[in-house]
Amino acid sequence: MENKIHPKKERTLVIIKPDGVQRSMIGEITKRFERIGLKLAAVKMMVATEEQIEKHYTLDPEWRRITGEKTIESYKKKGLKPPSEDPFEITEAILKNLKNYMVKGPLVAMVWEGAHAVKIVRKLVGGTEPLSSDVGTIRGDFVLDSYQMADADGRAVRNLIHASGSTGEAENEINHWFKPEEIVNYKLAQERILYDVNLDGLLE
Ligand code: ADP
Ligand code: MG
């Protein structure tokens, strides 16, 4: 189906995970989204329940397979033996550990809006595993965790932040965390500079 929404209206869901809050990273993280030109459309701090976390990660029926395969590939690329060859077995353990991690303190859920919001935010966030995520990204700059270390200790990778992986995922995740009336429609003055076709009227 053709998507009629203008790219500048795209929205994505971001969660500053409990480790991000504990490391006083709320400002550092939101700064990066603000300075690129994205607009904050909704924000709330809360302590999540295990049910909310399980639902969040299983909204996408493919998540179990994809995350398991990604983990196996990452181990093999480093010449290491993955904890299992079965992606579903791996994600079963990850999900259990995620439920343990994500409810242990407050998190901050946010909706960010702007051109290509999903891809732009994923680019700023960096790859899932901090050990291999690029320098300059949030996960690459501020965390030193790895799959190997997390799996050895039976816990989730602590990577500060969640961001939707696709526009479909974003839509489902936004509906999961926010009521429609919690999302604010408004204009930012800077949007003229970012998006207007005609910039006449700047000079006095
Ligand atoms: P992303 O958060 O980059 O979209 P995934 O959706 O694949 O990554 O995984 C969700 C979260 O589960 C990750 O952010 C991380 O906290 C945790 N996780 C993923 N793979 C592993 C793993 N192999 N070991 C421990 N934790 C993991
Ligand atoms: Mg994901």
Side-chain angles (χ1 to χ4, degrees):
M1 282 272 281
E2 197 192 342
N3 188 353
K4 284 271 161 53
I5 296 176
H6 191 284
K8 72 183 179 189
K9 294 276 183 201
E10 193 169 299
R11 285 175 171 167
T12 192
L13 181 93
V14 168
I15 295 175
I16 302 178
K17 296 178 176 179
D19 54 326
V21 174
Q22 293 303 317
R23 292 194 51 201
S24 302
M25 286 283 174
I26 300 170
E28 178 62 45
I29 290 170
T30 51
K31 177 184 86 181
R32 290 173 178 230
F33 301 142
E34 278 192 313
R35 73 182 182 186
I36 205 165
L38 292 170
K39 173 168 72 180
L40 186 62
V43 58
K44 65 178 158 194
M45 177 178 258
M46 63 191 291
V47 179
T49 63
E50 287 192 15
E51 292 71 35
Q52 274 171 312
I53 297 304
E54 168 141 8
K55 178 90 194 292
H56 166 81
Y57 282 109
T58 52
L59 284 168
D60 174 6
E62 289 284 51
W63 178 81
R64 288 174 195 264
R65 182 181 60 76
I66 294 168
T67 293
E69 286 175 359
K70 197 164 78 176
T71 300
I72 293 169
E73 196 190 307
S74 167
Y75 269 90
K76 290 189 172 167
K77 232 161 121 185
K78 297 187 191 106
L80 300 167
K81 192 175 166 319
S84 160
E85 289 289 340
D86 177 3
F88 293 93
E89 203 175 300
I90 289 182
T91 27
E92 205 46 50
I94 293 173
L95 195 56
K96 187 173 138 271
N97 295 335
L98 275 170
K99 283 193 276 183
N100 227 331
Y101 157 44
M102 296 287 285
V103 305
K104 287 292 167 64
L107 50 76
V108 178
M110 301 182 282
V111 177
W112 287 91
E113 182 180 309
H116 312 288
V118 171
K119 278 200 177 137
I120 290 281
V121 165
R122 287 290 283 206
K123 183 178 75 166
L124 297 178
V125 165
T128 306
E129 187 194 31
L131 172 64
S132 46
S133 44
D134 292 333
V135 173
T137 65
I138 293 166
R139 287 164 170 174
D141 280 357
F142 300 116
V143 215
L144 39 62
D145 208 2
S146 65
Y147 287 140
Q148 197 191 352
M149 207 155 62
D151 292 344
D153 292 343
R155 59 168 177 79
V157 163
R158 294 187 188 136
N159 54 11
L160 300 178
I161 184 165
H162 165 82
S164 309
S166 66
T167 50
E169 202 173 285
E171 202 183 327
N172 292 335
E173 292 178 354
I174 290 168
N175 287 334
H176 176 57
W177 291 99
F178 289 93
K179 300 190 193 92
E181 63 270 24
E182 291 175 321
I183 303 170
V184 185
N185 288 305
Y186 67 100
K187 278 200 172 63
L188 271 186
Q190 68 171 6
E191 284 174 77
R192 261 209 80 191
I193 304 302
L194 294 172
Y195 306 126
D196 272 18
V197 177
N198 185 347
L199 286 182
D200 286 349
L202 294 180
L203 293 173
E204 292 192 336

